[in-house]
Amino acid sequence: MKNTLLSINDIIYRVCIGIAGFAVLIMTLIIPWGIFARYVLGTGSSWPEPVAILLMVVFTFFGAAASYRAGAHMAVSMAVDRMPLHLRKLAAVLVQVLMAVVALFMIVKGFKLCATTWNQFLGEIPSLRVGISYLPIPLGGIVTLIFILERVFLGDQSHRAVMHFDVVEESEGAA
């Protein structure tokens, strides 16, 4: 059961990295187009900046979830490192509880924000609903909560190699 859950979370982790990476890639293509259109063609396009901002939101929330699982998130542990072992363990539990509270806040308030703004449309991109532009907030919160629960119940996975689909497990008789 544990290996199945870890495999599912490995897939979710890779999807988060893929989404964040794709968002950055598209941003790097859109921003130069906006500059080219404004300064070379002399006609500024209205869509590159808002699309780049939306992609930055996508990158931020999905990248943060992946970063949390990988243990690459920002952590200031100077004070915790100087605590006795029992207090360090208590601080680690407190951090996970606070992270879960933040993730739940993102989920609940993010979905409320999406629902509240669903019938509004972006001025620069009239075909895009504002509620859709806020969707990365609750979705990122869900993924972050999944990774928090993984850390609480299955342990820290940041030092474990992510399993790949094409990995063949060694047979029990191999030396």
Side-chain angles (χ1 to χ4, degrees):
M1 178 73 171
K2 178 181 177 179
N3 289 337
T4 303
L5 289 174
L6 290 175
S7 294
I8 291 169
N9 285 356
D10 287 345
I11 293 168
I12 294 170
Y13 172 72
R14 284 194 303 271
V15 167
C16 285
I17 290 173
I19 290 170
F22 187 69
V24 170
L25 173 68
I26 299 302
M27 276 191 300
T28 60
L29 298 174
I30 288 174
I31 292 171
W33 169 254
I35 295 168
F36 178 78
R38 176 169 292 143
Y39 294 108
V40 176
L41 301 178
T43 60
S45 299
S46 63
W47 61 270
E49 183 180 353
V51 170
I53 291 170
L54 292 175
L55 290 169
M56 182 54 82
V57 171
V58 169
F59 164 75
T60 299
F61 288 101
F62 286 98
S67 174
Y68 174 81
R69 186 174 196 245
H73 58 335
M74 187 173 71
V76 180
S77 60
M78 181 179 64
V80 176
D81 290 343
R82 289 174 173 67
M83 293 179 178
L85 182 61
H86 69 283
L87 288 179
R88 278 188 275 175
K89 289 181 179 180
L90 184 64
V93 170
L94 179 63
V95 165
Q96 299 311 314
V97 169
L98 292 174
M99 284 294 299
V101 168
V102 169
L104 287 170
F105 178 82
M106 287 169 50
I107 294 166
V108 172
K109 294 297 185 177
F111 276 128
K112 284 184 181 179
L113 181 62
C114 290
T116 302
T117 59
W118 191 259
N119 292 323
Q120 301 171 16
F121 293 89
L122 286 176
E124 297 86 356
I125 311 168
S127 61
L128 183 64
R129 294 178 182 270
V130 175
I132 291 174
S133 69
Y134 291 128
L135 207 49
I137 298 169
L139 295 179
I142 290 169
V143 174
T144 302
L145 185 60
I146 289 169
F147 292 153
I148 292 166
L149 294 174
E150 174 189 58
R151 184 170 288 188
V152 168
F153 293 112
L154 301 177
D156 184 7
Q157 302 302 314
S158 63
H159 301 294
R160 182 180 66 82
V162 175
M163 298 301 292
H164 298 285
F165 294 115
D166 58 344
V167 172
V168 178
E169 293 187 27
E170 295 179 14
S171 63
E172 293 177 16

